[in-house]
Amino acid sequence: MYYLGVDLGSVSTDLALVDKNHNLVEKIYLKTRGNPIKAIQEGFKILKDKYDEREITAAGTTGSGRMIASAIMGADAVKNEITAHARAALEFDKEVRTIIEIGGQDSKIIIINKGIVTDFAMNTVCAAGTGSFLDRQAERLEIPIEEFGDYALRAGSTVRIAGRCAVFAESDMIHKQQLGYAKEEIIRGLCDALVRNYLNNVGKGKTILPKVLFQGGVAANKGMKAAFEKELGFEIFVPENYSMMGAIGAAIIAGDQVKKTGKTKFRGFKLAENNIFSRSFDCDGCPNRCEVVKIYENDNILGYFGDRCSRWTGKTNEILGLRSG
Ligand code: SF4
């Protein structure tokens, strides 16, 4: 008996299976590559080869694509990233007070008091410090991203890099390279700059209390962890499954939900083989003119999302009295 969690983001699609004791038994990481439906189908093909769909007794979704994921796979819980990350963090350590989460495209801070989320902030605008930005810098410096943190830790000294925004940071790094600084010093300077940027923007006005968990793909970067510790003045912790916390949280929340409802809405693995695609239209129900997305599986409509008023969400053509198409 397993609970499935899917974290569908713009950069990556993560799938996690946890058992009834919330231990992680399977994790799948895929690049979304601008095609979220295909990414989920790929993930389901992998699961289908290893598990019987009847073993999945609950399914949950999170991430920016959680509505689309829910429409195509059938989800018992659809939660935003804050809720999913907090749930997984609290499962890992009940003492957590602050979650620093830096993913491929955005960063967040979540403040927790006595097991309850009391405050949070997200930065989806500035690319500096996100996984995609660090990947790009690693590529430019011709260093495997896995070794990026080691370079920072090896640096004998640091150099100040302007980390206020991605464009400034990159041009300042190039400038410092031209001045003859070592890659190690520049990378350490970059980590310091990105941490300053995070604390001054995402963490602005927040009291960061220990215990702090560092989650998301960027938590793999030891240089970033060290820079946070230097700036905050205390140790921060990286959970073993730091890059899967959203999917794990979604799975656990789904399990909790099914305990209440007694049955799952999970549709099984058949979507791995079926032709699933989306179409959008402008709703003319009111001046908002929402762009509503319609998801098809072969000729059947699985669901709608994108409406601001729930006129379409959760409806099928049968309910709406419309013909397919
Ligand atoms: S979906 Fe709702 S809010 Fe959006 S245009 Fe239609 S009626 Fe208006």
Side-chain angles (χ1 to χ4, degrees):
M1 186 170 101
Y2 302 121
Y3 308 147
L4 169 65
V6 175
D7 183 353
L8 180 55
S10 51
V11 175
S12 68
T13 298
D14 307 326
L15 290 88
L17 274 191
V18 302
D19 65 17
K20 65 179 176 23
N21 297 318
H22 302 166
N23 299 309
L24 185 68
V25 293
E26 184 74 58
K27 58 178 176 182
I28 299 169
Y29 170 89
L30 298 159
K31 293 267 187 206
T32 306
R33 296 186 207 283
N35 194 336
I37 293 173
K38 190 157 172 258
I40 295 185
Q41 285 184 302
E42 263 179 58
F44 272 42
K45 274 183 198 152
I46 297 168
L47 290 177
K48 193 170 180 260
D49 289 341
K50 295 172 82 171
Y51 301 91
D52 183 323
E53 64 186 21
R54 286 168 299 186
E55 291 177 287
I56 314 268
T57 57
T61 66
T62 187
S64 55
R66 59 188 178 274
M67 298 305 290
I68 190 170
S70 168
I72 65 177
M73 59 186 255
D76 303 298
V78 183
K79 295 289 175 189
N80 63 40
E81 296 100 306
I82 303 293
T83 309
H85 275 275
R87 183 68 178 88
L90 283 161
E91 190 69 29
F92 177 78
D93 193 330
K94 300 231 171 324
E95 302 299 312
V96 60
R97 295 294 308 272
T98 312
I99 300 168
I100 292 171
E101 200 275 338
I102 309 183
Q105 208 83 50
D106 61 22
S107 46
K108 315 172 188 61
I109 187 165
I110 307 171
I111 307 294
I112 295 178
N113 192 4
K114 298 194 178 99
I116 293 171
V117 174
T118 54
D119 198 5
F120 68 89
M122 273 179 89
N123 177 9
T124 53
V125 182
C126 179
T130 62
S132 310
F133 177 71
L134 287 170
D135 281 349
R136 181 177 149 74
Q137 297 317 314
E139 202 176 308
R140 209 180 51 73
L141 293 166
E142 297 177 342
I143 293 170
I145 187 65
E146 301 76 34
E147 292 173 25
F148 212 69
D150 293 321
Y151 269 76
L153 296 185
R154 274 207 303 273
S157 60
T158 184
V159 53
R160 192 166 178 94
I161 302 284
R164 202 153 31 96
C165 97
V167 179
F168 281 136
E170 184 169 312
S171 62
D172 203 22
M173 285 172 74
I174 293 167
H175 178 59
K176 295 295 175 355
Q177 274 178 285
Q178 286 161 347
L179 291 178
Y181 286 97
K183 280 183 187 175
E184 284 85 351
E185 292 168 316
I186 293 171
I187 292 171
R188 179 156 162 198
L190 178 66
C191 291
D192 290 344
L194 298 182
V195 164
R196 278 196 311 273
N197 176 313
Y198 176 94
L199 295 173
N200 290 332
N201 292 298
V202 190
K204 191 175 179 186
K206 311 267 185 267
T207 308
I208 298 181
L209 296 172
K211 193 170 197 174
V212 174
L213 296 191
F214 187 13
Q215 304 183 171
V218 172
N221 188 320
K222 294 176 208 154
M224 290 292 285
K225 178 178 182 285
F228 269 118
E229 288 174 337
K230 191 177 84 182
E231 205 64 38
L232 294 172
F234 52 77
E235 189 179 5
I236 67 170
F237 298 86
V238 177
E240 186 188 349
N241 297 302
Y242 57 87
S243 62
M244 282 281 151
M245 298 298 265
I248 293 171
I252 295 172
I253 294 168
D256 293 344
Q257 179 65 17
V258 168
K259 276 182 203 144
K260 288 186 215 149
T261 61
K263 61 172 188 197
T264 183
K265 294 180 185 163
F266 181 56
R267 301 176 60 242
F269 293 143
K270 62 182 175 217
L271 77 88
E273 312 298 340
N274 288 350
N275 179 25
I276 297 182
F277 57 97
S278 59
R279 294 279 178 272
S280 62
F281 63 93
D282 291 335
C283 174
D284 58 6
C286 83
N288 281 334
R289 303 283 299 176
C290 300
E291 186 185 0
V292 181
V293 179
K294 189 164 34 167
I295 308 278
Y296 288 86
E297 181 178 55
N298 300 325
D299 289 334
N300 299 320
I301 290 173
L302 290 180
Y304 299 80
F305 65 93
D307 48 350
R308 290 192 218 170
C309 70
S310 304
R311 178 179 179 184
W312 302 93
T313 302
K315 309 261 187 340
T316 61
N317 272 3
E318 208 178 327
I319 295 168
L320 292 165
L322 300 173
R323 287 174 45 222
S324 292

